Amino acid sequence: MNYPKVLTIQDISCVGQCSLTAALPILSAAGAETCILPSAVLSTHTGGFTGFTFRDLTEDMPAIAAHWKKEGIAFDAVYTGYLGSIRQIGIVQEIFAELRRPDAKTFVDPAMADNGVLYSIFDMPYVNAMKPLFFGADVVLPNLTEACLLTDMPYRETYDEAYITEILDRMEAAGAKTIILTGITYKPETTGVIVVEDGKRRYYEHKRIERGCHGTGDVYASAFVGAYLRGMNAFESAKLAADFTVRSIENTLGDESHWYGVKFETALPMLIEALAKQEL
Ligand code: PXL
């Protein structure tokens, strides 16, 4: 039985359906043993709430990892999302090196920007510090804004295939292996994901829902990692994660009071059903 043990490192936003409160249930639903290393605890996420609390857990992280090492705990996969500080990026690199099982895979969602802007706590030194972690990972999941920041390309709202090709070329030249580039829109009514896998580039185009939603990047990345660890290839995992995310957004439409996240829980049965067709 394939029962991967995954470690996911990201913040706990107590309210907001993102980062660990999305990754943990989604990875569990995908059949993975899910261990967590919280990078920070916030009362809410930072996208639209004001006055949120922020407890940086950088100081705790090396001690937690050292305890695991002493106990002989190691992981089949490490998946990182929103990190709270530049120092944490270095700590995460040490964890990658020390706590992975021999064939372990690393997944990095840079989780630092969207729609052309950095999230409120980040700056360019953070972007530069992210580069070695990002380009050294087995699988990376940037959105277009993050891909531009990490390749020193200007962010554009409208573009053609040549622009995206340049970004992908730069990512590959910098060392990226499997790339899942999300939110690539060539036509107003659709969006899609580009998957670079074994040197091949493929595009999965799907329905675009006008309403922008917080947390969809985390929901997407978690579903992708869950499917990939279940044995699906990158392209099939990217498709399933896209369908799951679209369903989550659709299930949230019409409820204006739910502006801060997507109701991904209501789409979990669909994810589980799709994954059930895979060999365990
Ligand atoms: O969804 C990404 C994310 C994760 N964690 C925190 C955030 C955000 C996006 O704004 O603020 C704390």
Side-chain angles (χ1 to χ4, degrees), residues 131 135 146-153 166-167 170-171:
K131 287 180 183 172
F135 289 114
E146 292 156 349
C148 287
L149 286 163
L150 290 162
T151 55
D152 305 306
M153 282 284 285
E166 174 68 24
I167 292 170
R170 287 188 186 207
M171 278 199 276

Side-chain angles (χ1 to χ4, degrees), residues 165-242:
T165 298
E166 174 68 24
I167 292 170
L168 293 173
D169 287 348
R170 287 188 186 207
M171 278 199 276
E172 289 198 292
K177 293 173 247 336
T178 300
I179 303 169
I180 315 299
L181 178 59
T182 57
I184 303 305
T185 304
Y186 296 119
K187 298 185 220 145
E189 66 280 10
T190 62
T191 185
V193 50
I194 294 182
V195 177
V196 181
E197 182 178 27
D198 300 326
K200 270 204 306 251
R201 295 180 181 182
R202 281 193 280 176
Y203 182 53
Y204 179 55
E205 189 176 12
H206 59 82
K207 191 157 140 192
R208 174 163 185 244
I209 302 170
E210 208 31 76
R211 181 186 150 161
C213 288
H214 289 287
T216 48
D218 300 345
V219 165
Y220 183 89
S222 303
F224 175 90
V225 173
Y228 193 82
L229 292 179
R230 195 70 172 252
M232 294 171 79
N233 68 27
F235 189 68
E236 292 303 322
S237 303
K239 272 171 68 174
L240 178 54

Side-chain angles (χ1 to χ4, degrees), residues 11 13 18-19 42 44-47 54 82 111 119 214-218:
D11 71 279
S13 288
C18 67
S19 35
L42 295 85
T44 63
H45 63 60
T46 66
F54 185 104
Y82 189 101
Y119 295 149
H214 289 287
T216 48
D218 300 345

Side-chain angles (χ1 to χ4, degrees), residues 78-266:
V78 180
Y79 153 40
T80 67
Y82 189 101
L83 302 174
S85 65
I86 289 181
R87 233 190 96 210
Q88 283 186 7
I89 296 175
I91 293 171
V92 165
Q93 280 170 304
E94 280 163 32
I95 291 173
F96 274 4
E98 300 209 345
L99 295 178
R100 52 193 293 179
R101 286 180 175 156
D103 290 323
K105 291 267 181 245
T106 54
F107 300 83
V108 171
D109 174 356
M112 60 186 178
D114 206 359
N115 299 313
V117 283
L118 277 168
Y119 295 149
S120 58
I121 70 159
F122 298 128
D123 53 17
M124 282 315 285
Y126 183 87
V127 172
N128 289 326
M130 176 58 74
K131 287 180 183 172
L133 179 68
F134 181 85
F135 289 114
D138 293 306
V139 183
V140 291
L141 299 114
N143 60 35
L144 182 59
T145 307
E146 292 156 349
C148 287
L149 286 163
L150 290 162
T151 55
D152 305 306
M153 282 284 285
Y155 173 79
R156 291 204 205 134
E157 284 193 355
T158 52
Y159 43 79
D160 56 13
E161 282 185 37
Y163 171 75
I164 298 299
T165 298
E166 174 68 24
I167 292 170
L168 293 173
D169 287 348
R170 287 188 186 207
M171 278 199 276
E172 289 198 292
K177 293 173 247 336
T178 300
I179 303 169
I180 315 299
L181 178 59
T182 57
I184 303 305
T185 304
Y186 296 119
K187 298 185 220 145
E189 66 280 10
T190 62
T191 185
V193 50
I194 294 182
V195 177
V196 181
E197 182 178 27
D198 300 326
K200 270 204 306 251
R201 295 180 181 182
R202 281 193 280 176
Y203 182 53
Y204 179 55
E205 189 176 12
H206 59 82
K207 191 157 140 192
R208 174 163 185 244
I209 302 170
E210 208 31 76
R211 181 186 150 161
C213 288
H214 289 287
T216 48
D218 300 345
V219 165
Y220 183 89
S222 303
F224 175 90
V225 173
Y228 193 82
L229 292 179
R230 195 70 172 252
M232 294 171 79
N233 68 27
F235 189 68
E236 292 303 322
S237 303
K239 272 171 68 174
L240 178 54
D243 295 344
F244 173 63
T245 307
V246 168
R247 180 72 66 84
S248 301
I249 299 170
E250 282 172 343
N251 290 355
T252 313
L253 291 175
D255 182 353
E256 290 308 316
S257 70
H258 209 94
W259 58 269
Y260 53 85
V262 287
K263 300 178 181 177
F264 70 84
E265 304 85 351
T266 63

